[in-house]
Amino acid sequence: MFSLTSCLYISAFLFSTGVYGVLGRRNILVVLMSLELMLNAVNLALVAFGRAYAAQDLAAAHTGQIFALMVIAVAAAEAAVGLSIVLLVWRRWQSIDVRDLCRMHG
Amino acid sequence: MDFNPSLLALIPILPLIGFVLNGCFGNRMGRQFVSIVGCALPITSFVIAFRAFQALRGSESEAIRHTLFEWIHVGSFQVDMAFTFDGLSAVMCLVVTGIGSLIHLYSTGYMRGDKSYARFFAYLNLFTAFMLMLVLGDNLLVLFVGWEGVGLCSYLLIGFWHEDAANCDAGRKAFIFNRVGDLGFLIGVFLIFTLFGSVNFAEILVGVESISDVTAPASSLNSAMPMWGTVAIGTLITAITLCLFVGATGKSAQIPLFPWLPDAMAGPTPVSALIHAATMVTSGVYLCCRLMPLFSLSPQTLGVIAAIGACTALLAALIALSQTDIKKVLAYSTVSQLGYMFFAIGMGAYSAALFHVVTHAFFKALLFLGSGSVIHAMHHEQDMRKMGGLRRQLPFTHLIFIIGTLAIAGVPFFSGFFSKDEILFSGFFAAFHGHDGHVHFQDQLFWGMATLTAGLTAFYMLRMVALTFWGKSNVDDKLVDHVHEPGGWMPFSLAVLAVLSVFGGILNVPELLHWLPFVGEERTFLLGNFTGLHHAHTGIDLDALHKLEWTSLIISVGVGATGLAAAWYLYGPGRALLDGFVNGAGKKLVRISENKFYIDEVYQILIVTPFQFASYVMFILIDRFLIDGVMVGGSALVVRSFGEFFRRMQSGFVPAYLLTFGCGALVLLFIMMSLLNGAG
Amino acid sequence: MESVNILSILVFTPIVGAALLAFFKPKNTAQVRHAALAISSLTFLLSLGMLWMYSTAMGQHEDGDLAARGSMQLVEFGEWLPSLGVHFHLGVDGISILLVLLTTLLSPLILLSSWKAIGDRVKEFQIAFLLLEGGMIGVFLALDLVVFYVFWEVMLVPMYLLVGIWGGERRIYAAMKFFIYTMVGSLLMLLAMLYLWWHTGTVQLIEHGIVNPETGLLEMMPGLLEVLRTNPLEPTTQVWLFAAFALSFAIKVPIFPLHTWLPDAHVEAPTAGSVVLAGVLLKMGTYGFIRLAIPLFPHGTEVFTPWMLGLSVVGIVFGACMALVQTDVKKLIAYSSVSHMGFVVIGLFVINDLGWVGGIIQMVSHGLSTGMLFLLIGIVYERRHTREISHFGGLAQVIPVFSVMFIIATLSSIGLPGLNGFVGEFMILLGAFREHQWIAIGASSGVVLGAVYMLTLAKRFLFGPLVHEENRNLADLSPRELCYLVPIVVMMFWIGLYPKPFVELIEPSVQLYVDTINK
Amino acid sequence: MPINLVSADYAAILPAVILIATGLAVLIADLFVTDDGYDNPSSEKSHLVWIGVCGAALAFAALFVPSGLLFGAWSENGVASGSEVVFLGALRLDAFGGFAAAIIIVAAGLTTLSSGGYLAAQGQNRGEFYGLVYLGGGAMVLLAQATNLISIFVAIETLSLTVYVLAGFFRKWKLGAEGAAKYFILGAFSSGFLLLGMAFVYGATGEISLAALGKSTADPYLMNVGLLLILVGFGFKVGAVPFHSWVPDAYQGAPATAAGWMAVAVKVCSFAALIRVVVAAGQGGVADAAIGKMLAALAVVTMVLGNLAALNQTNIKRMLAYSGIAHSGYLLIPVVLAFQGTPDPKVGAGALFYLVAYLLMTIGAFTVVAMVSNGDTDREELESYNGLAKRQPFVAFAMTVSLLSLAGMPGTVGFLGKLTIFKDAVYSGPYLYLAFVGILASLVSVYYYLRPIVAMYFREEGETIEIVENNWGVKLTLVLTSFGTIALFFCGKSVHELSVRSIQSITG
């Protein structure tokens, strides 16, 4: 029902949405969420690939899933650090608009 | 007589030692030390040179040679620091040391009051050393050392009183004019080395003798010739001799490089006598005589030399007519006489040229030193218009001047008579008999110019004497009482030179006049025979020759006498006539002469100013603007602008950063995909 | 004798000396000065030792063939980066020995000259200078392209500091210009070297022995010169490589139109900097041509010869014209260097024995005469703090000894026979005349122009009335100043009057090179 | 599957473990040892520095213990040591990883040494700094050894997290927050691409080990795109143009010593991993030659743009940041060559050797920046360096040595680094133009490297500024870096040989 290709399409759609969110939104929190979305899009692809290989009964069967688990863990840590940085930005800049962060340039 | 050849080296070295001693210690050791060192060493040189001369006369050999050391030796190019003492060198050497010594002696009196006494003698000694090197040099390069060295001393001595900027300018002018000549000289040397494979005189002459056919290609003479092997030997020799002659025109003040010599009178008068009359300026003539066989191979060059010589003689004489500075008259007279000498060389009469060098050295040194006495007496007043009537106060000097004038005017049996007559005769011979049996118009023209010059010479010399010594006194009242005859060694030098000026002609009496007292058949052409230089006239029977000679002699004496008479008349009883001419019809002519035919101005307008202007424009336009501004600064600016552009691209906005990132990745992806698609 | 690595010692004495100086107390300037002087004098003595060893080695080949007499002597082959193929390879032959001696002779003199002129940051000055000296010696001795390049670049930094720290008003601009200008050339040279390296597999200039790691035996490996002789590069490759090397050297010489850094550097540099720049640094360029560009790429040389000769003639005339209109003495002499170095380049590119020997002699001569002129200008600058020609005049009345020295230097510079300038110039022109007559004739015009601007300078500087009252009380040369001028004067006369020992040192090597190139 | 750990496994992770342990030890020590009973961030806390340096020394020593990473390459004189795959292919015990680890460890030690006084002067001397350095260092060492996609990703993310925090370590400083935020957002963004690439590669081959990159695959298209995306991820880490935008801002906002650490250590481990990737990809020939061209293009753009953008910088940290970008460009040259793998498989050695040089000169430069800035961002401007040579001759000297080395002047190890890289490029044949561009780019770079020297030596000082002077750690760092920069030039032989042997351990 869910072929590899369709999973990958969904994954690609999610990834693109994430990229758009990162690029297009001002609010750092939204940007953070979009970043998570990108990672999760890839997770979907990984799991899909893993599933596909499992169907072929290859040795690499579940690596995709393991990879995805690792990514989830990493993403959690990243979110923690990210949020604390957002907090820092709010304290120093009284703003969480990414476009305000432009004192350094050139 | 035994003569140790190594003594030859001492001849130039002794004055050099004098230079070092006077230069380093002169100021501390006092005047007496300076005078003794300064005079004794050139005199010793004279003695050695005289001994060498005697040895040479007594021996069979053509020359005494001594090699001091190997100077430059690279591959096939070898030059030694070596000296040759042959007939020609001997004559020059004796003149230089002899007259040089006399002038040194004279200077002890003349320069007595000068604060830079030691420096003066140091320079004078240095000059003597270089001049001796020039005439003794065994090869072109040693000669060139002397050649440049005397130029340097001339520069230093012209600007001796360096507090006055004009003197230094004159010195610089002399040096630079000489350098232009030296350029020709150098190229000549290069050509000689290329053609003959050596710069040694002896070897060059051997090479010249081996030339049988001047139309043969140069490679037949020197098979190793790297270039111009197909050009005819004669063409190359013409080029060589012309180049060397360019050098000679610089040193010997010929057209077009003569304007420095009159300016050189800025130096102390003994310097003018020694350097700018007796010795240095004749080194061009010496060079031609030294390479006589080479010059003789190129009739074209000789033609040019004759033309330049005659023109210079006439032009300088015309200018001398109206000069009011006593030394300037003598200076132009020197230029004119040097023109004579080159005219002689152009006519192939080398011995006459050398003879005139010698006699000219006598009487011109005499005249200069005499004028020095006048100037000394007049407290450095040189303008003849402020003199006049000095005969009473300076009878001795007056006598000296008369002797000098008679000598230079060619009055029979004075020294100048013999030499000038020989030159004019060589011109006459070429003009009306012809070397090859043909008579050429240009030869007649040159002879006419030379003869005219003889008359003019007599005229302006007597004019000078008249203005200075005769008539009523125009001397400044304050000076009148102080005018006095020179003392010390000065009269001695003058007297010796006067004697030489009177009797110097005996050195080379033509065969025609062998009946004169103290002469005999066997004593004619002493100088010519001793030096082995050519006479102009060969291949003609004696009677015809005598006939021609008498004609020429009578014409030249006549012209000289006319000149003297005219001067006597115009500056005596005919004064009004002269004034009328000067202020009337001849006003423009006189002005041209007074302004030296505007030659300095022409040089200034045609060469100096454009050159300076061009240099300045190039500096601003090419160096500063084009190279430094546009090329160097421009490339730096371009790089920095790029840097600024890329710096500005970093806008500081996170979305922009992300976009850069994303676009970069996308572009890479696209390229990648197109490459992949293209490949597969 | 074999056991003494005299060349390494020579190179590293000043460098190690500089490192040791770093431990001196900066405030104790006298001590630092003395120490630096001692080090550079020691270097000079060592270089005399090298000369002695060289002559001894030459003496053994008295009757030997040219190859034996002209080849590299006292060769050292040390390990540096064997895994990269770079070795510390030094050697000296007739071409380099005089330049080394010139460097070691000038260095102590320059230090003496800056005894009082440099009052600020004395220690740094001495260190920079000694480093510079070491670098200069290294360039002349290097037989490994990379080592050559290293020394070539190493010199830049101390020179940059000399100009930048102790220079005049526009020192920063001048120093920057000097540095970047030189880097432009040298980096392209590096690229060409790398290419050559790849092409031939070696950067050693001459044959050398390497222990084979597998067999443990010493094997003779051919150097670049040998490799390229048996197996020449493609003509087009040669042209490109030559162009890259030549650009670097031409900037250093400098050849018109790459000269504009020189006047700025000279004017802004302190006396010591100017002297070392004119005295030695410019010679690196011409030395590079002799040692590398011409022998390695004969075809490239052939292609570029007309350009080099033409540009040199233009440079001779152009430099002279520029010198004529300058108002700053140092700038005038800087442009005169452009003119004089043009002669050297002509000498090198006619590729015959006369031209090369003349060129090398002229390199030394120019180092002496121009170096001396800068020293003299430094002396008056120390007293008057101006270099405008119009601020002087009539100095001969006040400071006669100085004036004599100045005149000697002037005459040497305009090539008066009997002084050093003539010998080299004459040989160059004679050599050039054999191959390219019109070039020689064109270049000869420099003889006249040189006299014009130098004598004009002398006149405006020394002669005439004493216009400026400030000049009335100038002090004449002190014993210290005489101390560093007299050796130069002696050398000037020596080379001018008796150049034989110098020529004999140079000639065999030149013959060897020229014969090989022309073959 | 049961996991049997053997001694090789322990030996492989020993340095990383020591580093991580050191990080933890520092954090703990910071809790217990306080001045006057409370934490004073203005004190020097030399005990933390000591712990850190000792840990680094220990970790360094661990490389050389028998069966340690560098033991074989160091002792067995030219023969590549036996390399082993450990932890089921997650890591590899080889000299290559060891060499990179050595640089990272030394960088950690030097950063620690130089930070104490600097942070104290800023009033920001908190133990977390050292903790983050060492924890991150551990991750970096692991990254250098990582041989499968998961370990690479995890190591990269771990080290990145520590570095994000370090970038914003000056909490009170607006710029710190800005830099950290920018770095974080872009970093996470690039992680997405990296991960996507890894997913593609996994998808194409079904394997996650790097060795799989060399294997043939059913879908080379997916494989190559995946590889390209991985390269983009690494490109971000090393600051290659056009993924470089974060570099100047992050460096400027970060503490100077942290910037040095970021510049060196991150670059070292990223390049190590990158080289592993390209060697693996290049050897099998699956990866299209287009990847090589792409890398070369990145190298060219990075060298040119980095150097040009640095030209007119007035802030010295930004200048050094751009210079770091440019150096990434130079370092990409051996990566390209390693990808190509011909004619000489040793070509990647240039990168390792260059990184050693880069370590010394960059840490040296940033240490001086730290000394001069002394707690004031305005003193990171070029004018603050006016007349420094008179005031602080040694500091100016150390800075000069670092800058000259960065510019590649002979006499410093930076020259040898550039020489090896450019030589290899010329030797490669088709990539000769990289050497050409690199040389032109370094010509441009000379200008801006000279500017601080101009300020320090040629200009007169404007105002007297106190700098972190009497801190032994800082001085020692400068002595080590400047001496090392010069000494390695003269005696770089063994290091160079080691780098060659190290690269042989992965190319075979």
Side-chain angles (χ1 to χ4, degrees), chain D residues 63-417:
Chain D
L63 296 171
F64 293 92
V65 296
S67 82
L69 290 166
L70 276 175
F71 177 73
W74 183 256
S75 57
E76 280 169 38
N77 195 22
V79 183
S81 59
S83 47
E84 270 182 76
V85 174
V86 294
F87 284 105
L88 299 175
L91 303 175
R92 195 154 173 272
L93 180 144
D94 57 17
F96 179 78
F99 197 93
I103 304 175
I104 294 164
I105 293 165
V106 173
L110 290 175
T111 307
T112 322
L113 260 181
S114 59
S115 295
Y118 169 62
L119 294 176
Q122 301 273 6
Q124 302 270 20
N125 199 4
R126 299 188 303 271
E128 298 93 282
F129 185 89
Y130 311 101
L132 286 166
V133 165
Y134 282 92
L135 292 176
M140 291 168 183
V141 169
L142 288 175
L143 177 59
Q145 296 171 263
T147 47
N148 77 22
L149 297 178
I150 296 181
S151 54
I152 287 176
F153 182 73
V154 173
I156 281 192
E157 286 305 307
T158 318
L159 77 90
S160 297
L161 291 180
T162 65
V163 178
Y164 298 148
V165 178
L166 281 175
F169 192 76
F170 284 170
R171 295 185 302 201
K172 294 172 187 160
W173 194 10
K174 258 185 145 181
L175 296 187
E178 181 186 338
K182 283 176 169 172
Y183 190 11
F184 177 79
I185 295 171
L186 281 154
F189 191 61
S190 86
S191 296
F193 283 86
L194 179 68
L195 192 58
L196 189 64
M198 287 176 168
F200 282 4
V201 170
Y202 168 66
T205 60
E207 285 186 50
I208 54 165
S209 102
L210 281 186
L213 292 173
K215 286 188 183 151
S216 61
T217 162
D219 196 347
Y221 203 86
L222 192 62
M223 169 80 192
N224 278 310
V225 172
L227 203 53
L228 184 74
L229 288 174
I230 292 178
L231 294 184
V232 168
F234 278 114
F236 172 84
K237 282 284 161 241
V238 302
V241 178
F243 318 114
H244 67 287
S245 314
W246 62 277
V247 180
D249 295 356
Y251 281 23
Q252 195 185 344
T257 49
W261 166 248
M262 285 154 69
V264 175
V266 175
K267 212 163 270 173
V268 172
C269 62
S270 309
F271 268 109
L274 184 56
I275 289 173
R276 274 192 203 277
V277 169
V278 294
V279 165
Q283 271 178 345
V286 180
D288 202 272
I291 296 277
K293 288 188 183 126
M294 223 61 86
L295 278 169
L298 276 188
V300 168
V301 180
T302 310
M303 288 188 287
V304 171
L305 230 139
N307 279 317
L308 283 176
L311 270 186
N312 293 336
Q313 298 299 332
T314 53
N315 181 295
I316 197 137
K317 264 189 192 165
R318 279 187 96 73
M319 190 207 87
L320 286 172
Y322 279 109
S323 125
I325 294 171
H327 277 86
S328 286
Y330 302 135
L331 280 161
L332 278 171
I333 296 177
V335 173
V336 177
L337 304 178
F339 176 76
Q340 192 197 19
T342 52
D344 181 359
K346 297 197 294 289
V347 280
L352 291 181
F353 189 70
Y354 197 85
L355 283 167
V356 176
Y358 187 69
L359 156 82
L360 293 169
M361 55 211 192
T362 307
I363 297 271
F366 275 109
T367 305
V368 174
V369 174
M371 282 183 88
V372 174
S373 76
N374 196 16
D376 184 349
T377 45
D378 293 340
R379 294 188 193 159
E380 288 165 6
E381 293 297 310
L382 208 53
E383 295 113 52
S384 316
Y385 288 76
N386 288 358
L388 187 71
K390 249 188 184 160
R391 223 162 53 226
Q392 288 287 324
F394 176 67
V395 176
F397 169 75
M399 186 65 166
T400 307
V401 169
S402 296
L403 291 170
L404 290 178
S405 183
L406 284 165
M409 291 297 289
T412 60
V413 68
F415 167 72
L416 291 185

Side-chain angles (χ1 to χ4, degrees), chain B residues 191 233-249 287-288 291-310 342-348 350 442-443 446:
Chain B
L191 274 167
I233 295 177
T235 317
L236 279 185
I237 287 184
T238 303
I240 292 172
T241 45
L242 277 177
C243 285
L244 292 176
F245 178 62
V246 170
T249 56
L287 178 69
C288 296
L291 290 170
M292 173 185 72
L294 198 64
F295 278 83
S296 300
L297 279 179
S298 172
Q300 293 91 338
T301 307
L302 290 182
V304 171
I305 295 178
I308 298 272
F342 280 103
F343 173 68
I345 287 171
M347 292 296 141
Y350 298 90
Q442 73 264 30
D443 287 337
F446 298 154

Side-chain angles (χ1 to χ4, degrees), chain D residues 386-462:
Chain D
N386 288 358
L388 187 71
K390 249 188 184 160
R391 223 162 53 226
Q392 288 287 324
F394 176 67
V395 176
F397 169 75
M399 186 65 166
T400 307
V401 169
S402 296
L403 291 170
L404 290 178
S405 183
L406 284 165
M409 291 297 289
T412 60
V413 68
F415 167 72
L416 291 185
K418 280 213 173 76
L419 182 72
T420 40
I421 286 184
F422 293 151
K423 183 198 168 192
D424 287 342
V426 171
Y427 264 60
S428 75
Y431 289 114
L432 187 142
Y433 68 87
L434 287 180
F436 183 68
V437 174
I439 279 177
L440 285 187
S442 34
L443 173 62
V444 172
S445 76
V446 167
Y447 175 74
Y448 63 82
Y449 288 128
L450 286 182
R451 284 175 68 195
I453 301 181
V454 167
M456 291 187 299
Y457 283 92
F458 302 172
R459 294 192 197 280
E460 293 300 316
E461 91 187 277

Side-chain angles (χ1 to χ4, degrees), chain B residues 72, chain C residues 354-355 357-359 361-362 365 419-429 495:
Chain B
I72 303 175
Chain C
L354 267 171
V357 174
I361 296 256
Q362 176 73 355
S365 300
L419 279 165
N420 54 348
F422 172 71
V423 179
E425 231 166 68
F426 182 80
M427 284 197 262
I428 289 170
L429 291 175
I495 296 178

